[in-house]
């Protein structure tokens, strides 16, 4: 090949230039695929990717993180906000920096969201062996701690020669841009190879467009689906995250408006219909609404759209109880479409919903069925109002009243982010989603520590939009460090920090399974070894302030409303700190969740919990 057709760069420089030239395109709209790179530098990436990022800083924006796991969370938040059409890269040193990526990678892959991971690795040449932080294996000389990323990555490669990047980079980007295969993608980069020069073909750096397809349903599958819907007396749509990723909300609403079929939503699918649509029933499953779960128990056809049917959605196999219930699953992956022995429509959600609506022209559910679920909606809305209402503005708010105060402040464009603790249950039941992107719950992995870094990624994807991270004290203590990054990057995220002195959701679960809330409070240890003393003298608000946030303390409902309004208008990272009154979760679960209970025990709490467990287990069905 002639010299004019090549460019001599290091492997790291070539990778950065390549990534800066990758684009996605869907429906004629082109976006940059890798919009920036998060990084924490150490040995293993500082001399390779670190040097490349400073050399090409105009082509590839760089964001400095404080925790490697958090950087992946930020990238995932960004990807979800952009409906998987854009992603971010994350680079780390070798050793602990690299292994800190594992939790974030699992979260990305479980949630079907793209993130590109670029951890440093050992010397491919073994010239320095063993080097600092290298794992030595007695019979596998090529083993590395980065191999821990293999099971949680949708694509993995270790680039042991510069020219190996030519093929692997294209494969990696294909997976990132493919909605049926996406997740975490890992290119492990030995530090000597990162710095090694190679004559790269110029074509490698040309702009490349990855078209995100909208596969249409198979005609035979569509015909079967139409027959199933027409034959059903009590159909129910379960909307999952795939509705949002496909931007299929308008298509879903058109189908529902034409047919009258009601819609219940998973955590990832909430907001697929606006909360005040007459067919929107709210959340479904263990954290679902009463009206959703009541209809789910009597539905004769469940139409899953873009959902993977986790145990929370199915109430661990106990929710769908109609004797003849069947399933119809519309999903871009055959793996998810075939769950629950369903009839399948393997296609893009928007394409499939549009085709289904056209084929069902003139079909509508019985008027009595519509009246039934609309009446159920009214009853549930009364429950929401009661949970949000505060009769005494001078009182300490409950957690649901915190949500009610936030509900009164946000606009249609705001984004509310949460992932773990007792908040997801209350949010799924109570939150009134006003737009498709407002409700951002990471509940595939339900990872404590996700909310604050994810808010950074969302804010980067949606500048000017108010972004709220809702965090309990337990989650905050897991991972508050990206507050510093928000301050450094001037990202005006809003943090609602709820102090209830412990792991509230697990405390409730512990009590229900006979574990007596052991180890779930943040309190002083007393003589018998339990944690039932006074709350710890920990000031989380002061901690947030020390990391650079503006902090507003709210002691009453009135002060909370004022603080939230001030935070929404703020142009700096701002925290609203509030200590809540019990109960932490006001509304009971409407459906079961399988957490096995000790079969034998000398403690009464456990034996009583086992009896209740066995009664619930009797309702489990295997849908075949």
């Amino acid at each position: 090949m002639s010299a004019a057709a090549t460019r001599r760069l290091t492997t790291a420089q070539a990778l950065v230039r390549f990534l800066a030239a990758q684009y996605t395109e869907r429906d004629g709209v082109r976006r940059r695929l890798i919009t920036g790179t998060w990084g924490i530098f150490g040995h293993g990436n500082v001399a390779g990717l670190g040097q490349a990022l400073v050399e090409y800083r105009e082509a590839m924006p760089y964001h400095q993180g404080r925790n490697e796991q958090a950087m992946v969370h930020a990238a995932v938040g960004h990807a979800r906000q952009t409906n998987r059409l854009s992603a971010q890269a994350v680079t780390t040193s070798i050793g602990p920096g690299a292994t800190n990526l594992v939790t974030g990678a699992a979260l990305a892959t479980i949630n079907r969201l793209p993130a590109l991971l670029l951890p440093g690795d050992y010397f491919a040449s073994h010239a320095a062996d063993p080097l600092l932080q290298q794992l030595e294996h007695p019979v596998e000389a090529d083993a590395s701690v980065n191999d821990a990323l293999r099971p949680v990555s949708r694509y993995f490669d270790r680039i042991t020669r510069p020219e190996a990047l030519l093929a692997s980079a294209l494969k990696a980007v294909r997976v990132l841009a493919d909605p049926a295969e996406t997740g975490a993608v890992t290119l492990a980069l030995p530090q000597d190879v990162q710095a090694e020069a190679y004559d790269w073909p110029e074509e490698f750096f040309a702009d490349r467009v990855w078209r995100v397809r909208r596969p249409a349903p198979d005609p035979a599958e569509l015909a079967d689906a139409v027959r199933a819907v027409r034959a059903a007396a009590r159909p129910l749509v379960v909307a999952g995250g795939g509705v949002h990723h496909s931007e299929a909300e308008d298509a879903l609403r058109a189908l529902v408006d034409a047919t009258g079929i009601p819609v219940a939503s998973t955590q990832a699918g909430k907001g697929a219909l606006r909360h005040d649509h007459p067919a929107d029933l709210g959340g479904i499953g263990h954290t679902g609404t009463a009206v959703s779960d009541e209809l789910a128990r009597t539905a004769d056809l469940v139409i899953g759209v873009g959902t993977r049917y986790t145990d929370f959605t199915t109430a661990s196999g106990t929710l769908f109880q109609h004797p003849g219930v069947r399933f119809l699953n519309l999903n871009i992956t055959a793996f998810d479409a075939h769950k629950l022995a369903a009839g399948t429509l393997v296609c893009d959600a928007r394409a499939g919903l549009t085709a289904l609506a056209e084929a069902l022209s003139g079909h509508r559910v019985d008027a009595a069925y519509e009246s039934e679920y609309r009446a159920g909606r009214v009853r549930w809305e009364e429950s929401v109002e009661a949970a949000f209402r505060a009769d005494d503005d001078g009182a300490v708010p409950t957690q649901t009243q915190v949500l009610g105060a936030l509900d009164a402040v946000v606009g249609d464009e705001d984004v509310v982010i949460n992932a773990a603790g007792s908040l997801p249950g209350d949010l799924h039941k109570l939150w009134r989603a006003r737009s498709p992107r407002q409700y951002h719950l990471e509940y595939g992995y339900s990872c404590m520590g996700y909310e604050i870094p994810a808010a950074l990624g969302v804010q980067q994807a949606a500048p000017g939009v108010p972004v709220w991270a809702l965090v309990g004290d337990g989650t905050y203590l897991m991972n508050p460090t990206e507050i510093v990054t928000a301050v450094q990057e001037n990202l005006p995220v809003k943090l609602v920090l709820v102090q209830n002195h412990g792991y509230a959701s697990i405390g409730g679960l512990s009590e229900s399974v006979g574990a007596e809330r052991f180890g779930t409070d943040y309190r002083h240890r007393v003589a018998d070894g339990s944690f039932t003393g006074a709350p710890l003298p920990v000031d989380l608000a002061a901690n947030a302030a020390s990391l650079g946030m503006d902090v507003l303390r709210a002691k009453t409902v009135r002060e909370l409303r004022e603080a939230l309004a001030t935070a929404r208008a703020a142009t700096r990272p701002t925290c609203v700190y509030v200590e809540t009154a019990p109960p932490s979760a006001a509304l009971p679960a409407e459906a079961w969740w399988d957490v096995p209970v000790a079969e034998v025990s000398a403690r009464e709490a456990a034996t009583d919990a086992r009896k209740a467990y066995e009664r619930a287990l009797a309702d489990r069905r295997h849908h075949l």
Side-chain angles (χ1 to χ4, degrees), residues 193-217:
V193 177
Q194 288 182 53
E196 189 174 346
Y198 182 74
D199 293 323
W200 302 89
E202 284 288 352
E203 292 87 348
F204 188 57
F205 308 112
D207 287 357
R208 193 179 302 268
V209 178
W210 302 82
R211 287 190 170 82
V212 180
R213 298 178 295 276
R214 289 193 180 278

Side-chain angles (χ1 to χ4, degrees), residues 352-375:
L353 288 168
T354 299
L356 193 58
E358 292 174 353
L360 286 168
S361 178
H363 175 75
R364 193 167 185 87
V365 299
D366 188 81
Y369 184 48
E370 285 192 75
S371 296
E372 176 188 344
Y373 70 69
R374 291 190 181 198

Side-chain angles (χ1 to χ4, degrees), residues 110-132:
I110 285 170
N111 285 283
R112 319 298 206 251
L113 291 166
L116 176 60
L117 312 183
L118 305 172
D121 215 320
Y122 60 70
F123 281 64
S125 66
H126 293 279
D129 186 52
L131 72 159
L132 178 66

Side-chain angles (χ1 to χ4, degrees), residues 31-50:
R31 296 171 178 256
R32 182 161 168 171
L33 175 57
I34 305 298
T35 63
T37 298
W38 289 90
I40 297 175
F41 295 117
H43 92 96
N45 70 339
V46 66
L49 275 169

Side-chain angles (χ1 to χ4, degrees), residues 384-395:
V384 174
E385 289 289 346
F388 282 177
R389 185 169 55 249
D391 295 326
D392 180 3
D393 281 2

Side-chain angles (χ1 to χ4, degrees), residues 274-580:
R274 187 180 158 94
H275 74 94
D276 53 6
H277 190 285
D280 180 63
L281 308 182
I284 190 171
H286 178 64
T287 53
T289 68
V291 60
S292 281
D293 288 349
E294 286 168 6
L295 259 69
R297 292 185 180 95
T298 59
D300 57 357
L301 179 68
V302 179
I303 306 169
V305 183
T307 178
R308 60 192 188 92
Y309 287 112
T310 69
D311 60 342
F312 259 58
T313 298
T314 67
S316 301
T318 65
L319 185 58
F320 305 110
Q321 288 294 326
H322 188 284
V325 65
R326 304 302 297 172
F327 296 84
L328 169 64
N329 292 339
L330 193 165
N331 205 294
I332 200 164
T333 69
F335 176 81
D336 289 315
H338 280 276
K339 288 177 178 177
L340 301 176
T344 59
L345 275 175
V346 180
C347 59
D348 169 76
R350 194 173 84 179
L353 288 168
T354 299
L356 193 58
E358 292 174 353
L360 286 168
S361 178
H363 175 75
R364 193 167 185 87
V365 299
D366 188 81
Y369 184 48
E370 285 192 75
S371 296
E372 176 188 344
Y373 70 69
R374 291 190 181 198
R377 272 179 44 84
V378 171
R379 290 193 299 273
W380 184 255
E381 184 59 26
E382 292 171 352
S383 298
V384 174
E385 289 289 346
F388 282 177
R389 185 169 55 249
D391 295 326
D392 180 3
D393 281 2
V396 175
T398 64
Q399 181 165 285
T400 56
Q401 288 168 350
V402 171
L403 298 183
L406 184 61
D407 174 82
V409 167
V410 300
D412 288 8
E413 68 274 23
D414 294 41
V415 178
V416 176
I417 301 172
N418 185 243
S422 58
L423 279 164
D426 286 345
L427 285 162
H428 200 204
K429 293 185 185 79
L430 302 174
W431 189 257
R432 297 158 167 163
R434 296 157 169 80
S435 62
R437 290 271 59 118
Q438 181 169 92
Y439 187 87
H440 184 126
L441 261 285
E442 188 288 297
Y443 217 60
Y445 211 40
S446 187
C447 186
M448 296 177 72
Y450 172 82
E451 294 90 341
I452 296 173
L456 273 58
V458 171
Q459 192 75 84
Q460 289 174 329
V465 170
V467 178
W468 302 84
L470 274 57
V471 179
D473 53 326
T475 289
Y476 180 86
L477 287 168
M478 284 273 185
N479 193 14
T481 55
E482 298 315 308
I483 288 174
V484 178
T485 305
V487 173
Q488 180 176 2
E489 298 261 343
N490 196 29
L491 296 170
V493 296
K494 296 89 172 61
L495 170 62
V496 180
L497 178 50
V498 179
Q499 170 67 279
N500 55 26
H501 301 289
Y503 301 118
S505 64
I506 296 302
L509 178 62
S510 172
E511 186 172 39
S512 72
V513 298
E516 303 174 52
R517 292 186 177 264
F518 178 76
T520 63
D521 288 334
Y522 288 163
R523 296 177 182 272
H524 285 288
R525 188 186 296 271
V526 294
D528 67 355
S530 64
F531 295 88
T532 56
L536 298 176
V538 176
D539 191 339
L540 300 184
N543 178 261
S546 76
L547 297 178
M549 276 196 135
D550 292 342
V551 176
L552 305 169
R553 295 175 183 258
K555 295 182 178 180
T556 67
V557 173
R558 183 185 304 106
E559 291 176 0
L560 176 62
R561 291 180 184 136
E562 294 169 355
L564 291 171
T566 300
R568 188 172 188 271
T571 57
R572 290 195 73 256
T574 302
C575 170
V576 175
Y577 173 85
V578 58
E579 186 167 350
T580 56

Side-chain angles (χ1 to χ4, degrees), residues 108-319:
T109 296
I110 285 170
N111 285 283
R112 319 298 206 251
L113 291 166
L116 176 60
L117 312 183
L118 305 172
D121 215 320
Y122 60 70
F123 281 64
S125 66
H126 293 279
D129 186 52
L131 72 159
L132 178 66
Q133 299 174 325
Q134 180 179 342
L135 174 72
E136 288 188 275
H137 195 288
V139 295
E140 295 181 28
D142 63 344
S144 160
V145 295
N146 287 339
D147 292 323
L149 287 160
R150 290 180 184 271
V152 293
S153 297
R154 293 292 288 168
Y155 179 81
F156 178 98
D157 195 11
R158 179 176 290 117
I159 309 301
T160 56
R161 291 292 308 142
E163 58 268 35
L165 183 66
L166 292 168
S168 192
L170 291 169
K171 293 175 182 177
V173 172
R174 180 195 68 78
V175 173
L176 288 170
D178 188 334
E181 295 192 34
T182 197
V185 168
T186 300
L187 296 179
L189 301 169
Q191 58 180 309
D192 53 344
V193 177
Q194 288 182 53
E196 189 174 346
Y198 182 74
D199 293 323
W200 302 89
E202 284 288 352
E203 292 87 348
F204 188 57
F205 308 112
D207 287 357
R208 193 179 302 268
V209 178
W210 302 82
R211 287 190 170 82
V212 180
R213 298 178 295 276
R214 289 193 180 278
D218 175 82
E221 285 194 335
L222 179 60
D224 288 344
V226 170
R227 282 192 290 271
V229 175
R230 289 186 179 277
R234 301 179 63 83
L236 172 67
V237 168
V238 175
V243 176
H244 295 309
H245 300 327
S246 177
E247 298 174 337
E249 296 90 358
D250 289 347
L252 176 62
R253 186 174 61 251
L255 173 69
V256 170
D257 288 345
T259 64
I261 300 173
V263 176
S265 302
T266 69
Q267 287 278 18
K270 194 173 172 73
L273 287 183
R274 187 180 158 94
H275 74 94
D276 53 6
H277 190 285
D280 180 63
L281 308 182
I284 190 171
H286 178 64
T287 53
T289 68
V291 60
S292 281
D293 288 349
E294 286 168 6
L295 259 69
R297 292 185 180 95
T298 59
D300 57 357
L301 179 68
V302 179
I303 306 169
V305 183
T307 178
R308 60 192 188 92
Y309 287 112
T310 69
D311 60 342
F312 259 58
T313 298
T314 67
S316 301
T318 65
L319 185 58

